[in-house]
Amino acid sequence: MGPVTTNPWLISIINMTIVFGVLAALGVLMKIIQLVDPTQKKTEKPVAAPAPAAAPAAVAAPVQDDSEVIAVIAAAVAALGHSAEQIACVRRLPEAGWTQNARIEAISVRKECF
């Protein structure tokens, strides 16, 4: 049996080199398979379509009825034990509101853990 090393740093460097080498080889293999894929449809250059004579008028977006959503929110607030007088307003938030709420909740949970 050849020389055996007990140095943990050398062992970890050898192992990481092997892992990243295999990952690089798999990446190259995937690129080669993508290039020679016989099932991939060949894309043809689109033929230029003639321009329409006149563009149709812009259609206004339909107004969304939020009365059911407001009723559900009011019922949820009432189920929590609050009265209708305590509700200042109900308005739709942008989609970022959910993300911001999740971040605030994660921070508050993190504070409780430490």
Side-chain angles (χ1 to χ4, degrees):
M1 191 157 144
V4 177
T5 182
T6 57
N7 185 355
W9 291 105
L10 183 61
I11 293 172
S12 64
I13 289 173
I14 291 171
N15 289 338
M16 288 188 344
T17 304
I18 291 171
V19 167
F20 285 114
V22 169
L23 287 175
L26 287 175
V28 170
L29 181 66
M30 287 191 307
K31 288 292 184 185
I32 292 171
I33 289 174
Q34 184 181 8
L35 290 175
V36 297
D37 186 15
T39 61
Q40 185 178 13
K41 294 181 180 178
K42 302 293 181 189
T43 57
E44 295 180 12
K45 294 183 179 179
V47 178
V59 179
V63 177
Q64 187 175 5
D65 183 24
D66 291 339
S67 59
E68 291 181 15
V69 175
I70 292 172
V72 169
I73 292 171
V77 170
L80 289 174
H82 301 287
S83 65
E85 291 83 26
Q86 292 175 330
I87 302 173
C89 77
V90 176
R91 61 185 166 90
R92 193 176 289 272
L93 290 176
E95 295 297 324
W98 291 100
T99 305
Q100 184 178 5
N101 186 29
R103 289 179 183 158
I104 291 171
E105 184 176 336
I107 289 172
S108 65
V109 168
R110 194 176 306 146
K111 286 180 182 176
E112 291 174 4
C113 292
F114 296 108

